[in-house]
């Protein structure tokens, strides 16, 4: 690519689990001239050896900071989001912040906007097809703040960009994991919930040696995608290696909660579906519970995605399957 076509890429939320891998991929890419990151915490790109990355502290709720981030950008990657929090805490950053970013992209005539939505945008619904393709509408789950917000933000994106020159690449990754993305284990809803199960189940758990954690397994298959594979898909979008549109992202294969427990050296116990439903309903009616517990909703129905479109259109070739991703994450945790 001639030097004059090399891109300036702005990134909101580059300090998070996906952002860190993305910065490394952008910094290595011959098609990228400059990367400008923005989030709230302090971050020093030179400490990571990046040559092209600069960083400004700023909040997506501040339209001036967002406009300044975009002043020279050809492409914007929007990752700033609050995943764990109460419905009201998260709504400001996720809805208002995203709207600010999308509107600023059209005002600045940014060529491409790459947005990390989520599998959760489909909603955890019994009537969803399996596997989910990108043609399935993103309806979200009203009972789950993150899922509902992810669906709503996709609609805000479509409405804001309608009629503008900015093209949108919307990714719907499954759970992101890997050595630099331990949030799956840190936030496992069952790690929290197993301490608060009904007495009947606590009795069963009591029969097991409780020196190691016990994860209740509702039998739902989980897809995982490695953070570096998410970064490679996003880099393909930044460089317009395929058409704009919506893309599912997941590594090959699935893992079960029992497999996760076994890889961690923990225990698992199978639990019936009705118990997950009952717990999810109880959790939904308790506003003061930790955000992690609300994620039990995600265990009510399998949400398994088809990733043919990303492979075909963006030539995406994830290097890690679900089990390899899990194992890399656990090995890194054990090394710490
Ligand atoms: N991780 C997953 O399993 C997963 C799966 C599917 C989709 N996604 C989506 O991918 C995106 C990135 O996820 P992630 O896992 O990288 O999240 P993360 O690790 O929680 O990082 C979030 C990033 O957003 C920044 N941020 C939060 N509030 C901000 C604000 N008001 N202004 C500016 N920056 C702000 C954070 O930095 P500061 O706190 O310093 O501001 C951080 O850099 C999110 O939209 C998420 O929903 C994630």
């Amino acid at each position: 690519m001639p030097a004059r076509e090399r891109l300036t890429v702005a990134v909101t939320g580059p300090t998070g689990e996906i952002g860190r891998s993305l910065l490394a991929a952008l910094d290595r890419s011959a098609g990228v001239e400059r990367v400008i990151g923005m989030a709230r915490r302090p971050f020093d790109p030179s400490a990571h050896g990046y040559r092209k990355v600069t960083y400004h502290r700023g909040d997506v709720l501040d339209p001036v900071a967002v406009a300044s981030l975009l002043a020279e950008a050809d492409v914007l990657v929007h990752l700033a989001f609050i995943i764990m929090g109460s419905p009201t805490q998260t709504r400001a950053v996720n809805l208002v912040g995203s709207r600010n970013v999308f509107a600023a992209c059209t005002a600045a005539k940014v060529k491409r906007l790459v947005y990390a939505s989520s599998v959760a945008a489909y909603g955890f619904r019994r009537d969803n097809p399996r596997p989910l393709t990108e043609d399935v509408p993103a309806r979200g789950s009203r009972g789950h703040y993150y899922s509902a917000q992810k669906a709503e933000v996709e609609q805000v994106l479509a409405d804001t960009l309608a009629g503008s020159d900015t093209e949108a690449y919307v990714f719907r990754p499954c759970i992101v994991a890997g050595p630099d993305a331990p949030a799956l284990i840190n936030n496992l809803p069952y790690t929290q919930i197993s301490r608060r199960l009904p007495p009947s189940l606590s009795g069963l758990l009591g029969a097991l040696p409780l020196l190691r954690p016990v994860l209740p397994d509702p039998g739902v298959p989980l897809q995982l995608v490695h953070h570096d594979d998410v970064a490679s898909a996003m880099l393909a979008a930044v460089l317009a290696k395929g058409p704009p549109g919506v893309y599912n992202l997941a590594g090959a294969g699935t893992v079960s909660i029992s497999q996760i427990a076994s890889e961690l050296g923990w225990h698992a116990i199978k639990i019936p579906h009705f118990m997950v439903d009952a717990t999810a309903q109880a959790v939904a009616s308790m506003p003061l519970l930790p955000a992690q517990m609300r994620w039990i909703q995600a265990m009510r129905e399998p949400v398994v995605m088809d990733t043919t479109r990303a492979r075909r259109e963006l030539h995406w070739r994830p290097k890690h399957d679900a089990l390899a991703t899990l194992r890399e994450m656990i090995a890194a945790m054990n090394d710490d």
Side-chain angles (χ1 to χ4, degrees):
M1 189 179 281
R4 65 190 156 77
E5 287 180 25
R6 294 169 76 212
L7 300 166
T8 295
V9 183
V11 184
T12 68
T15 52
E17 292 203 330
I18 294 177
R20 294 189 291 268
S21 277
L22 180 69
L23 283 190
L26 292 170
D27 195 71
R28 282 191 304 265
S29 171
V32 174
E33 170 101 48
R34 285 177 66 205
V35 183
I36 311 160
M38 186 186 88
R40 296 165 304 178
R41 77 192 81 170
F43 175 72
D44 176 10
S46 65
H48 300 264
Y50 297 139
R51 292 168 300 118
K52 302 175 187 171
V53 181
T54 54
Y55 179 79
H56 307 287
R57 289 180 73 182
D59 194 315
V60 290
L61 291 172
D62 174 1
V64 176
V66 175
S68 142
L69 172 72
L70 288 174
E72 293 167 35
D74 300 299
V75 182
L76 178 279
V77 184
H78 179 46
L79 301 175
F81 219 78
I82 304 288
I83 299 176
M84 291 290 166
S86 76
T88 37
Q89 282 168 342
T90 53
R91 202 173 163 80
V93 170
N94 297 350
L95 266 296
V96 180
S98 295
R99 189 178 279 114
N100 280 346
V101 171
F102 302 155
C105 281
T106 62
K109 299 196 186 310
V110 166
K111 287 180 196 149
R112 288 184 285 288
L113 191 164
V114 180
Y115 166 60
S117 185
S118 165
V119 62
Y122 289 114
F124 310 113
R125 293 166 166 270
R126 204 153 289 176
D127 62 347
N128 271 340
R130 297 172 197 169
L132 288 152
T133 65
E134 293 85 346
D135 300 325
V136 175
R139 294 177 293 166
S141 285
R142 259 190 305 170
H144 190 268
Y145 70 97
Y146 179 79
S147 167
Q149 290 175 9
K150 279 297 188 192
E152 198 176 340
V153 172
E154 283 201 23
Q155 191 57 55
V156 170
L157 175 63
D159 293 345
T160 311
L161 262 58
S164 80
D165 295 332
T166 304
E167 294 181 324
Y169 291 75
V170 175
F171 288 102
R172 294 183 183 149
C174 63
I175 299 167
V176 178
D180 199 21
L184 166 66
I185 302 298
N186 293 343
N187 292 311
L188 262 178
Y190 286 115
T191 313
Q192 326 257 332
I193 284 164
S194 61
R195 300 189 198 107
R196 298 173 167 88
L197 283 171
S200 55
L201 198 55
S202 303
L204 273 174
L205 296 180
L208 295 167
L210 286 176
L211 294 174
R212 287 178 282 168
V214 178
L215 300 183
D217 181 358
V220 170
L222 298 176
Q223 289 181 308
L224 299 180
V225 64
H226 194 287
H227 45 74
D228 289 343
D229 290 327
V230 176
S232 72
M234 290 186 168
L235 178 62
V238 165
L239 300 175
K241 297 275 187 188
V246 179
Y247 293 98
N248 291 339
L249 295 181
T254 59
V255 294
S256 65
I257 294 284
S258 293
Q259 259 176 309
I260 294 176
S262 156
E263 294 290 332
L264 284 162
W266 296 358
H267 300 294
I269 185 167
K270 303 265 187 222
I271 58 165
H273 191 264
F274 78 85
M275 198 166 273
V276 183
D277 259 359
T279 311
Q281 275 165 25
V283 163
S285 64
M286 293 185 235
L288 297 179
L289 286 176
Q292 285 88 344
M293 288 191 66
R294 299 185 183 283
W295 284 80
I296 189 161
Q297 289 272 0
M299 296 292 162
R300 288 174 95 167
E301 300 298 333
V303 276
V304 174
M305 294 181 293
D306 177 284
T307 60
T308 306
R309 186 181 286 177
R311 291 165 190 268
R312 189 185 59 226
E313 304 290 343
L314 297 176
H315 312 289
W316 184 57
R317 301 286 179 270
K319 293 190 174 143
H320 313 78
D321 65 16
L323 187 57
T325 300
L326 174 68
R327 286 182 172 158
E328 275 197 30
M329 176 174 57
I330 292 171
M333 288 171 66
N334 291 339
D335 280 350
D336 277 352

